[in-house]
Amino acid sequence: MKFTIKRNAFIKKLTDVQRAISSKTAIEILTGLKITATENSITLTGSDSDISIENEISIDDSNYELLIDEPGSIVLPARFFSEIIKRLPENTFTIEVNDHFQATITSGQTEYQVNGVDADNYPHLPEIDTNEQLSIPADIMKQVINQTVIAVSTQESRPLLTGVHLTIKDGELHAVATDSHRLSQRKVKLSGAENIDYDIIVPGRSLIELSRMIADSTGNLEIQIAENQILFNFDTTAFYSRLLEGMYPDTDRLIPQSSETEIELNAVNLLHAIERASLLSHEGRNNVVKLSLNSESQTAVLSSNSPEVGNIEEELQFDKMTGNDIEISFNPDYMRAALQAFGQAEVKLSLTLPLRPFTLMPTEDSEDFVQLITPVRTY
Amino acid sequence: MKFTIKRNAFIKKLTDVQRAISSKTAIEILTGLKITATENSITLTGSDSDISIENEISIDDSNYELLIDEPGSIVLPARFFSEIIKRLPENTFTIEVNDHFQATITSGQTEYQVNGVDADNYPHLPEIDTNEQLSIPADIMKQVINQTVIAVSTQESRPLLTGVHLTIKDGELHAVATDSHRLSQRKVKLSGAENIDYDIIVPGRSLIELSRMIADSTGNLEIQIAENQILFNFDTTAFYSRLLEGMYPDTDRLIPQSSETEIELNAVNLLHAIERASLLSHEGRNNVVKLSLNSESQTAVLSSNSPEVGNIEEELQFDKMTGNDIEISFNPDYMRAALQAFGQAEVKLSLTLPLRPFTLMPTEDSEDFVQLITPVRTY
């Protein structure tokens, strides 16, 4: 294998593929980056066996100034290789692999020799044996991910809850995540998916990496689903993730259908107030803040009290409040994560009783996005 | 105590004083920030008993919009207090302390109450009982510090070597640091110090913090030295540091007075080459790179070899080389730190024998600054 390529452009693709490569893996060869060169393109592959990422660079893409002298393949230590490439002195570099799996990397007066491994020993990527393909705009998928992964469980004791439950039915995608203290649910219409039917659980970590990778992508994600794998194709990238196996709990019945008290306010203002209150709650023994709503006097007060350290009280600005008076206590970290997912929007909090879950919805398009938080008992 | 002040301006002073405050101190009250208000100013004090920093804000300084309603003092938990101040909603805040050492911090609709401690329990700052005062431009002092602290020892086993040895004599300041593997020495003329004579050791950590604080300072540092303390005054800040007690080893005799081989090159170019070579040496068992100088063929080659991982070889650009051929092996981390201290300058390496220390000096003003590195035996 031998090729020459522009360094900066290559580094971007390398960084993407490295998202899948962990130095902590038990499978030695997976700490490596697989590079394959054909007559027309090179392909970078990284995998931690849960996530696999493949990125192709074509000789036709002028950004890379790619010149392939000799096809072939090699596996190189990923972190070390990427540090070398980042430090090379010139704008381009050449990599040449000999029969002993040694790669010579040349750039200007610098010449590295790096010991590699036969690419034939690298695990095969999953096979996706379906012709059914879904399409979704990358920015929408990113939104769906970021609005739901926040509620995913980080506890491995209930592995299914570490995933996001995706159901595709009647041309709609439902995404739900819950760690049993809070829940986030997002719905999106999918065009051209009327006859497609899926019910899968994708690991939250996979979706977070995917979301970071599609950061600036403006095109569509093409999605293919097999028995225990999902494949996202976009730009020149193939992103594979393992699926979680099992029956996700029924979450529809958890979301309250009515409420006794409603308040509408700006998500960012409430977020800042929550951040101020949580400074105090984090210092105390219980990480709890209290929201006191009084319809008659039209006051909304956020407070937290940790006798050892001090207390905070803040009167909130709001747009509208109706219904019964209520005092409700909750974990401010859940509230903060929920509010961040609303961006600049106006949100409606709907509450019933002090110990019953309450919901947050955008005041506009409230059908499509709902978050639920379970209060904390403080007495 | 009660005063109102502009938040952003206050935060800057607070951040400065916090440099001296550690949450890991064994003395509980030193995790606190002391605030004292008189009729005309407020003073912030932080200390970890090695370093103490005092910062004064006057009502005459219009940047602070400081209004003092009632003099007094308090000690508040430093980290918590600073997080609160950073998160407050308005541009100004008011702090009021009651008889029970409780501080009420108000900004807009937000009101924090924070439990404090009686400032009478806070340790007194060191007394500096001298009228002798030295003056040095802040930017020169910063340079002296940054060029010498790099060679300070991080091992507590020889505590004196964790400091920088400062001698002031005949109107000149000599600063020397060595960890016994390398040494850095800087000399500066001090105007108006002809009759002043000091020989002290200042902890490297103190000087690093001082250097960070004077980052943008354009004025002079006023220095006062007492038996076991040094005080730096600049702008509105008083920076105290404990001195290390003992006899610093004689370092003058360590610096070779002659050389067999000399090479002149650009510090930045060599630095980059060293960084590339150290990528490899860091992966291997011995962290060593080799410099091979050949006067006759006029080649300078930097290389490193770690059989498990690979090797690197790079031909260096240089301006001038004279003397005997030599191969010398050294720790690239020492070389990197040394080169960083030269900035963009041209440097001269002077070498004698493969196992004898070699020196780095700027090609201009070579009298004032010298660094020394001890090679590594590789056979």
Side-chain angles (χ1 to χ4, degrees):
Chain A
M1 188 182 82
K2 181 177 179 186
F3 65 83
T4 300
I5 195 164
K6 213 169 141 190
R7 207 160 58 88
N8 282 341
F10 180 83
I11 288 172
K12 273 195 195 161
K13 294 289 177 188
L14 178 58
T15 308
D16 271 350
V17 171
Q18 273 191 288
R19 293 181 186 281
I21 304 177
S22 160
S23 53
K24 287 182 214 141
T25 172
I27 309 168
E28 175 72 19
I29 200 169
L30 292 185
T31 62
L33 167 82
K34 182 178 157 191
I35 309 176
T36 309
T38 65
E39 300 281 340
N40 310 311
S41 69
I42 61 167
T43 301
L44 308 180
T45 309
S47 175
D48 66 359
S49 77
D50 280 354
I51 300 173
S52 301
I53 301 174
E54 208 173 66
N55 223 322
E56 194 181 356
I57 302 170
S58 162
I59 52 168
D60 298 331
D61 189 335
S62 60
N63 291 323
Y64 295 90
E65 299 174 11
L66 174 61
L67 281 176
I68 301 174
D69 287 309
E70 198 190 332
S73 61
I74 187 76
V75 176
L76 294 174
R79 186 187 48 76
F80 181 44
F81 174 69
S82 116
E83 284 176 9
I84 287 176
I85 301 301
K86 286 177 189 156
R87 290 279 174 82
L88 290 174
E90 302 289 330
N91 289 333
T92 63
F93 71 92
T94 301
I95 177 166
E96 181 171 8
V97 176
N98 70 14
D99 292 344
H100 300 91
F101 310 113
Q102 264 201 331
T104 304
I105 302 156
T106 326
S107 181
Q109 295 300 310
T110 308
E111 186 181 299
Y112 280 98
Q113 289 203 327
V114 179
N115 300 338
V117 176
D118 187 352
D120 286 349
N121 297 332
Y122 197 86
H124 289 285
L125 289 191
E127 294 206 12
I128 305 288
D129 50 358
T130 172
N131 295 319
E132 219 163 42
Q133 183 158 309
L134 285 158
S135 185
I136 184 170
D139 56 341
I140 299 287
M141 190 64 200
K142 196 182 155 191
Q143 209 181 60
V144 171
I145 293 172
N146 294 347
Q147 289 177 335
T148 52
V149 284
I150 48 173
V152 145
S153 172
T154 53
Q155 311 275 318
E156 286 298 327
S157 56
R158 292 184 67 187
L160 284 188
L161 298 190
T162 64
V164 175
H165 184 206
L166 298 180
T167 44
I168 295 153
K169 206 179 169 179
D170 303 332
E172 230 184 32
L173 167 70
H174 287 211
V176 182
T178 179
D179 63 3
S180 78
H181 303 290
R182 53 180 162 172
L183 175 150
S184 182
Q185 175 184 286
R186 176 69 200 274
K187 298 178 187 174
V188 183
K189 290 252 180 303
L190 289 182
S191 58
E194 287 69 22
N195 298 314
I196 296 182
D197 206 331
Y198 283 109
D199 186 321
I200 57 173
I201 309 168
V202 187
R205 196 180 73 79
S206 302
L207 292 174
I208 290 170
E209 291 298 346
L210 176 66
S211 153
R212 287 181 186 146
M213 276 187 76
I214 56 180
D216 315 316
S217 208
T218 49
N220 276 327
L221 288 183
E222 307 299 331
I223 305 178
Q224 286 181 298
I225 299 168
E227 204 181 319
N228 60 357
Q229 288 284 333
I230 184 166
L231 166 61
F232 301 88
N233 271 300
F234 56 100
D235 304 335
T236 58
T237 305
F239 183 105
Y240 297 80
S241 170
R242 177 174 71 88
L243 298 178
L244 296 171
E245 284 171 53
M247 275 285 281
Y248 201 83
D250 176 20
T251 51
D252 281 346
R253 59 182 176 76
L254 298 176
I255 300 166
Q257 297 305 314
S258 64
S259 68
E260 302 291 329
T261 310
E262 297 193 343
I263 180 170
E264 292 182 17
L265 25 61
N266 178 269
V268 176
N269 289 348
L270 180 55
L271 174 63
H272 289 163
I274 290 285
E275 286 174 338
R276 284 190 285 271
S278 64
L279 275 186
L280 207 123
S281 67
H282 287 166
E283 296 289 317
R285 252 189 300 269
N286 311 312
N287 183 21
V288 171
V289 304
K290 187 167 75 179
L291 179 64
S292 310
L293 302 181
N294 190 315
S295 270
E296 201 176 329
S297 65
Q298 286 285 300
T299 55
V301 175
L302 193 70
S303 62
S304 183
N305 184 18
S306 299
E308 328 81 89
V309 231
N311 60 65
I312 178 175
E313 204 171 281
E314 173 160 356
E315 206 175 316
L316 300 176
Q317 307 276 322
F318 58 90
D319 303 327
K320 197 173 149 192
M321 189 198 320
T322 55
N324 299 341
D325 294 355
I326 186 169
E327 282 198 351
I328 200 157
S329 296
F330 51 86
N331 180 327
D333 300 338
Y334 294 165
M335 185 61 123
R336 188 177 54 190
L339 289 167
Q340 280 168 339
F342 286 102
Q344 306 282 333
E346 301 293 305
V347 291
K348 183 170 76 176
L349 274 66
S350 305
L351 311 95
T352 51
L353 293 167
L355 290 178
R356 296 290 299 278
F358 61 95
T359 60
L360 295 91
M361 282 178 273
T363 56
E364 290 176 15
D365 303 319
S366 60
E367 279 298 289
D368 294 341
F369 185 32
V370 57
Q371 298 205 60
L372 177 144
I373 293 175
T374 305
V376 174
R377 186 192 294 269
T378 54
Y379 48 86
Chain B
M1 187 183 81
K2 182 177 179 187
F3 65 84
T4 301
I5 194 164
K6 214 170 140 189
R7 206 160 59 88
N8 281 342
F10 180 82
I11 288 171
K12 273 195 195 163
K13 295 286 177 190
L14 178 57
T15 307
D16 271 350
V17 171
Q18 272 191 290
R19 292 181 186 281
I21 305 177
S22 159
S23 53
K24 287 182 214 140
T25 172
I27 308 167
E28 176 72 20
I29 200 168
L30 291 185
T31 62
L33 167 82
K34 182 177 159 192
I35 310 175
T36 309
T38 65
E39 301 280 341
N40 309 312
S41 69
I42 61 167
T43 301
L44 308 181
T45 308
S47 176
D48 67 358
S49 76
D50 279 354
I51 301 174
S52 302
I53 301 175
E54 207 173 65
N55 223 322
E56 194 180 357
I57 302 169
S58 161
I59 52 168
D60 298 330
D61 189 334
S62 60
N63 292 322
Y64 295 90
E65 298 174 12
L66 174 61
L67 280 175
I68 300 174
D69 287 310
E70 200 190 330
S73 61
I74 186 76
V75 176
L76 294 174
R79 187 187 49 76
F80 181 44
F81 175 70
S82 113
E83 284 176 9
I84 287 175
I85 301 301
K86 285 176 190 158
R87 289 279 175 81
L88 289 173
E90 302 289 330
N91 288 335
T92 63
F93 72 92
T94 300
I95 177 166
E96 183 171 8
V97 176
N98 69 15
D99 292 343
H100 300 90
F101 310 112
Q102 265 201 327
T104 303
I105 303 156
T106 326
S107 180
Q109 295 299 308
T110 308
E111 187 180 300
Y112 281 97
Q113 289 204 327
V114 178
N115 300 338
V117 175
D118 187 350
D120 286 348
N121 298 332
Y122 196 85
H124 289 286
L125 289 191
E127 293 206 14
I128 306 288
D129 48 359
T130 172
N131 295 318
E132 219 162 41
Q133 184 159 308
L134 284 158
S135 184
I136 184 170
D139 54 343
I140 299 287
M141 188 66 200
K142 198 183 152 189
Q143 210 181 59
V144 170
I145 293 173
N146 295 347
Q147 290 177 335
T148 52
V149 284
I150 48 172
V152 143
S153 171
T154 54
Q155 311 276 317
E156 287 298 329
S157 55
R158 293 186 66 187
L160 285 188
L161 298 190
T162 65
V164 175
H165 184 207
L166 299 179
T167 44
I168 297 153
K169 206 178 170 179
D170 303 331
E172 229 184 33
L173 167 70
H174 287 211
V176 181
T178 179
D179 62 2
S180 79
H181 303 291
R182 53 181 160 173
L183 174 150
S184 182
Q185 175 185 284
R186 176 70 201 272
K187 298 178 186 176
V188 184
K189 291 251 180 303
L190 288 183
S191 57
E194 287 69 22
N195 299 313
I196 295 181
D197 207 331
Y198 283 110
D199 186 322
I200 57 173
I201 310 167
V202 187
R205 197 180 72 78
S206 301
L207 292 174
I208 291 170
E209 291 299 345
L210 176 66
S211 155
R212 287 181 186 145
M213 277 186 76
I214 57 181
D216 315 317
S217 208
T218 49
N220 277 326
L221 288 183
E222 307 298 330
I223 305 178
Q224 285 180 297
I225 299 167
E227 204 182 317
N228 60 357
Q229 289 284 333
I230 184 166
L231 165 61
F232 301 88
N233 271 300
F234 56 101
D235 304 337
T236 58
T237 305
F239 183 105
Y240 297 80
S241 169
R242 177 174 71 87
L243 298 179
L244 296 172
E245 284 172 52
M247 274 286 280
Y248 200 83
D250 176 19
T251 50
D252 281 345
R253 60 180 176 78
L254 298 176
I255 300 166
Q257 297 307 314
S258 64
S259 66
E260 303 292 328
T261 310
E262 297 195 344
I263 180 170
E264 292 183 18
L265 25 61
N266 178 269
V268 176
N269 289 348
L270 181 56
L271 174 63
H272 289 163
I274 290 285
E275 286 173 338
R276 284 191 283 271
S278 65
L279 275 185
L280 209 128
S281 67
H282 287 167
E283 296 289 317
R285 252 189 300 268
N286 311 312
N287 184 21
V288 171
V289 304
K290 187 166 76 181
L291 180 64
S292 310
L293 302 182
N294 189 316
S295 269
E296 199 175 332
S297 65
Q298 287 285 304
T299 54
V301 175
L302 194 69
S303 62
S304 184
N305 184 17
S306 298
E308 328 81 271
V309 229
N311 60 64
I312 178 175
E313 204 170 282
E314 174 161 354
E315 205 175 316
L316 300 176
Q317 308 276 321
F318 58 90
D319 303 327
K320 197 173 147 189
M321 188 196 321
T322 54
N324 299 341
D325 294 354
I326 187 171
E327 282 198 351
I328 200 158
S329 296
F330 51 86
N331 181 327
D333 301 338
Y334 295 165
M335 186 60 124
R336 189 177 53 190
L339 289 167
Q340 280 168 338
F342 286 102
Q344 306 282 335
E346 301 293 305
V347 291
K348 183 170 77 179
L349 274 65
S350 305
L351 310 96
T352 52
L353 291 167
L355 290 177
R356 295 290 299 278
F358 61 95
T359 60
L360 294 91
M361 283 179 271
T363 54
E364 291 175 16
D365 303 319
S366 60
E367 279 299 288
D368 294 342
F369 184 31
V370 57
Q371 298 206 58
L372 178 145
I373 294 175
T374 304
V376 173
R377 186 192 295 268
T378 54
Y379 47 88

